[in-house]
Amino acid sequence: MASSDTGKEEIDEAEEEALLKSDDDYDMREVSEQSSINLEGPLIDEDFLINDSSKSQSNAKLDFTSNNKVISERKEPESDISSDNENDAEGEALKQYEDLLAELESEKYAYDKYVRLCDLSHATGDLDNIRKAYKSFSEVYPLTAELWLRYINVELKLAQSPNEIEKVETLFKRAFQDYYSCDLAKNFASFAPGCKDADIIWKQILSTYGLHCFQSRDYFQMYQKYLKVFSSNEDNQNDSYIESFLTELRYPHVDMEESFIEFKVFYEKNKETLSHKIKWEDVEKRYFRAKEQLQKILPFEEKLKTFNEHAYREKAETYFEYIEAADKLLDENVLQTIYERMVAECCLNADCWLKYIKFIEYRDEYGPPDELPAFHPFNQTADDISKRALRNCSWSPELYIKRMRLFEKMGKTKEEIQEILEGAVAAGFQTPEPTVLIWLEYLTYLRRHTDWRNENECDTLRKTFNLAWTILGQQWGVLADCNCEILQFWGRLEYGPLQDSKRGKELWTTVMESSDNASKSGLWIEFALLEMRRDLESTRNIFSKALRSVNLDNPSVISSAWERFERCNGTAKTLENCLKECHGINRNLSLKLSQHKSNIKSKKEAKSVKRKASPLRDEVPPKLSRNLDTEVNSCEKRSFKDHEDQTIDISKDHLRIFLSNLDYNISEEQIRAELIELKIVNMELIRSANGRSRGFGYAELINEDEVEKALAMDRKILHGRPLYISSVLRDKQQRQKFKYSVFHNTNLAHFSFLVEIEPQKLFVKGLPHDVTEEELKEIFATCGKIKDVRLVHHKSGKFKNIAYVEYEDESSAGKAVLALDKTKLRDHLLSVAISAPPPKPAASPSNSMKSLGIIPHKQRKAFDQKPRMSLIPNAVRKNFQSQNAPNSLNTLNNHNGAPKTNEDFRNLLKR
């Protein structure tokens, strides 16, 4: 969902000021410095000063009023005016808080509003409001580590009794179930000494976050300091100390060499007093194996560090490569922490969650490892992860489908699977395709679990099909299930196990009358095969109706299938009628095919025909001539004689424009009428010998301002085709500048592959042929305010199936890429990316070889003119090309730049 992405960005400056204000309010309620959470570091300092006695030395007292508002004693009195201002601010925040709660009752998935609700709850200063805000937020979405720490900070300031401390511990564990977070782990580790089960907490932290490649050493050092301060028995302390080193050296991390040296120094220093005997051969074996693993995974870890915070796609691709490389290399527990990091950093990528679910399914199918810890995240099932996935990507139909299949595999009831369907329908998809896919999956599940001998179950299945079709129609109208996939499925079952062929025919008749299904030969053949079970005569009518369908994609397939049907099932008369009708269809197809081949042949022959060009030929895009006989060619030459005799006033080029890609039937008057906003002085269409327009022409405007105005109208749709408007200035440098920036730095000029990113504009491809600008605006407007939408067409007016969508700001474009890339629009897979048009190639300097008539070999396009015949002798050309061009040129030029004489060329031939 697009709103999920926006909610996880940084809070804007205005909201940060409100946040700071609410934090100031809590300063007066602070219990002690040791019991507060620092968002940028651990809860306590290096010496783990948190303990029960420190909490009793608080400088402030706590009191609760009837409405549970937290009030603390102030050291200095404040003025009445300041108190009134604070009361006014809290009252305003409370009003906004209540209004936002009411809005969220109808907008359950508005992520931004939940974030705002939490901010307002802090501004009200009411503990109940804060708890209610975070509870309602966490019921719909997972909370980020920053949000959890902010809430835990409030509860921690109030935690005095063992029960309250246990409640904070529970909040930490809930936070870990949302996302893998090193910040949360460090704060939890700092809080652990104040808990009664501190050793268990440390075991969980070291078993999970101690496997992190870059931060493993930090956690083990914190644990070793904890042992020094809180361990009462020296022998137990040493044993735990050694065990921590042995655990740390089993897994690859960047500081393992330093840890290994420190461990050896510690052991050599204390080996006389240590009861723990170490087999250094085993330790070194595990250490060097982990170090070898580190060398293989370190490139992936380093690459992940280079990405910025919002490079979600790049991170996901790198994690996929990382996991593939580490799958057979690393311990399964380490591999699972990499999966956890992936879904934490790319939480809005449904493919990441699906890959994680598949990993857990495979692990559970073949049995979990023997040393699998019995706590989060290692005790999760595939169902647990699918539930987390849907809390992050409630817009992904694949995740709903995966969860249905998991439930079926687990033997869940129909009611439980139906709840998944209901959650999907309420998720608020932006297009009908995801909803259709989920309904099809649910109906497929019902089909597998229907007893066909039980009339009630069959009737329930029919009612569910009807409900699906009705709900989709009410929600999406004509856009719902354009291909009628649900009706097709229903009809197949009616022809099959439901045994109601009449209803099946009615359903398939509706299918073939919907959208463009009547043009699809495959559907017609399937319809005929299904109907063949019921009535042969009706099957003939279906074949006949199919052949008469407009724009049928493959008539020959239908005619062949009909003929085979009649040979197997028909009489002599029905076969004769079939062959007669099919013959007529095939004859028409043959005529069209031969006409098409003739057109292709004429185009090929046109390449060999040369026509005399007009004086302005260099300004007109090359066109292929028709293959005409001698008489027609002579007429054409006479027709162009009029243009040749015209005197062209070059001084007026700055007032002329060149019009191309015109409809061949359009007239000068029609062009003037269509371009009524331009002040046209003169208009001339270039025509062929028979008087037909050649699709381009010239227009003279009243002044240069009108020329600029006309150039801005380039690609205006005229009679269904984009009109191309360009300048006719002879000097190319005076023409309209290229719209993309040119590199002025001489060093960058060599890099022709560089492109200019347009961060607010999206390039969308894979669009259906019938898509409209309004439809695209409706789809992409869900991610932000649209500035412009442009569909791209060929010169012929045919849609290229690509478009550009421009937003008002860059963030909206980024959200749209995340939300809409790889989604489907009427079975077309869309590709959505930030626009990066290629730069204009730099103009190459004039080649001195061309000045001698030597044309360097290059691959020419089909419409390029052949190089003119060189007048330089072959001996000169070969000799010239075999040497360094600049040096050869120097020999041909005198120092004073004088023209070359015949004697100069004779000397050149003697070489």
Side-chain angles (χ1 to χ4, degrees), residues 503-537:
R503 180 178 293 180
K505 182 180 180 181
E506 293 174 356
L507 292 169
W508 268 89
T509 301
T510 304
V511 169
M512 302 312 298
E513 292 174 351
S514 301
S515 187
D516 59 344
N517 290 336
S519 64
K520 299 175 182 178
S521 301
L523 289 179
W524 280 113
I525 290 178
E526 183 178 5
F527 186 15
L529 291 175
L530 291 170
E531 184 64 16
M532 196 185 302
R533 306 174 186 177
R534 188 181 77 93
D535 186 1
L536 297 180
E537 186 61 32

Side-chain angles (χ1 to χ4, degrees), residues 813-827:
K815 296 172 199 170
V817 171
L818 290 174
L820 300 174
D821 185 35
K822 303 301 181 185
T823 58
K824 285 189 177 182
L825 179 60
R826 293 194 287 282
D827 289 338

Side-chain angles (χ1 to χ4, degrees), residues 658 660 709-717 722-726 736:
F658 175 63
S660 59
K709 185 177 176 182
L711 294 177
M713 297 169 61
D714 184 34
R715 298 180 185 271
K716 173 184 174 70
I717 301 302
L723 170 63
Y724 299 141
I725 304 176
S726 58
Q736 185 177 6

Side-chain angles (χ1 to χ4, degrees), residues 139-364:
E139 287 175 350
V140 181
Y141 288 110
L143 304 187
T144 62
E146 291 78 8
L147 286 168
W148 272 117
L149 286 173
R150 188 180 178 196
Y151 175 42
I152 291 173
N153 187 24
V154 175
E155 296 289 354
L156 186 59
K157 292 174 183 179
L158 307 175
Q160 297 294 304
S161 66
N163 289 337
E164 291 171 338
I165 294 174
E166 187 176 350
K167 180 179 179 181
V168 174
E169 180 183 343
T170 303
L171 289 177
F172 269 114
K173 292 180 179 179
R174 282 182 56 195
F176 286 131
Q177 292 176 3
D178 280 347
Y179 295 117
Y180 183 99
S181 169
C182 291
D183 288 340
L184 270 171
K186 288 179 179 178
N187 281 281
F188 194 27
S190 300
F191 173 73
C195 302
K196 62 180 180 181
D197 52 354
D199 290 337
I200 296 177
I201 292 174
W202 271 112
K203 183 180 179 181
Q204 295 177 2
I205 292 173
L206 294 179
S207 299
T208 306
Y209 295 88
L211 307 182
H212 196 289
C213 184
F214 283 109
Q215 302 196 36
S216 173
R217 184 67 180 141
D218 296 341
Y219 296 104
F220 280 99
Q221 285 180 334
M222 291 175 69
Y223 178 60
Q224 290 157 9
K225 291 177 183 178
Y226 161 78
L227 291 175
K228 291 179 181 179
V229 175
F230 291 95
S231 181
S232 57
N233 187 305
E234 186 174 352
D235 291 337
N236 292 339
Q237 175 186 337
N238 289 335
D239 289 344
S240 299
Y241 203 77
I242 292 172
E243 191 63 35
S244 71
F245 273 115
L246 293 176
T247 304
E248 181 182 0
L249 295 174
R250 288 179 59 187
Y251 304 109
H253 62 89
V254 291
D255 299 316
M256 62 185 312
E257 188 172 347
E258 179 184 342
S259 301
F260 184 70
I261 295 172
E262 183 180 343
F263 182 34
K264 294 201 73 172
V265 171
F266 168 79
Y267 184 79
E268 291 297 328
K269 184 178 179 181
N270 301 280
K271 63 182 178 180
E272 300 296 335
T273 60
L274 292 175
S275 60
H276 198 294
K277 300 302 179 182
I278 298 176
K279 295 182 179 180
W280 281 103
E281 292 183 0
D282 295 341
V283 173
E284 290 178 352
K285 183 180 179 180
R286 289 193 296 266
Y287 165 71
F288 286 113
R289 183 178 62 185
K291 196 171 181 180
E292 184 180 350
Q293 293 172 349
L294 176 65
Q295 299 305 316
K296 295 180 179 180
I297 67 173
L298 195 56
F300 298 104
E301 292 284 356
E302 294 287 355
K303 186 177 180 181
L304 287 169
K305 289 179 64 177
T306 61
F307 297 127
N308 61 49
E309 183 182 358
H310 301 298
Y312 306 115
R313 185 187 299 276
E314 294 81 358
K315 285 182 182 179
E317 291 173 353
T318 304
Y319 270 117
F320 286 171
E321 296 172 1
Y322 187 2
I323 289 170
E324 184 177 358
D327 188 28
K328 304 298 182 182
L329 180 68
L330 298 179
D331 180 89
E332 281 198 15
N333 293 353
V334 181
L335 192 59
Q336 186 166 354
T337 61
I338 297 174
Y339 274 104
E340 282 288 334
R341 290 168 54 193
M342 175 180 69
V343 296
E345 296 183 36
C346 310
C347 60
L348 299 181
N349 189 323
D351 291 336
C352 293
W353 288 103
L354 289 168
K355 192 173 184 68
Y356 191 10
I357 295 170
K358 186 177 180 181
F359 166 75
I360 297 298
E361 274 191 297
Y362 181 84
R363 185 199 69 181
D364 294 345

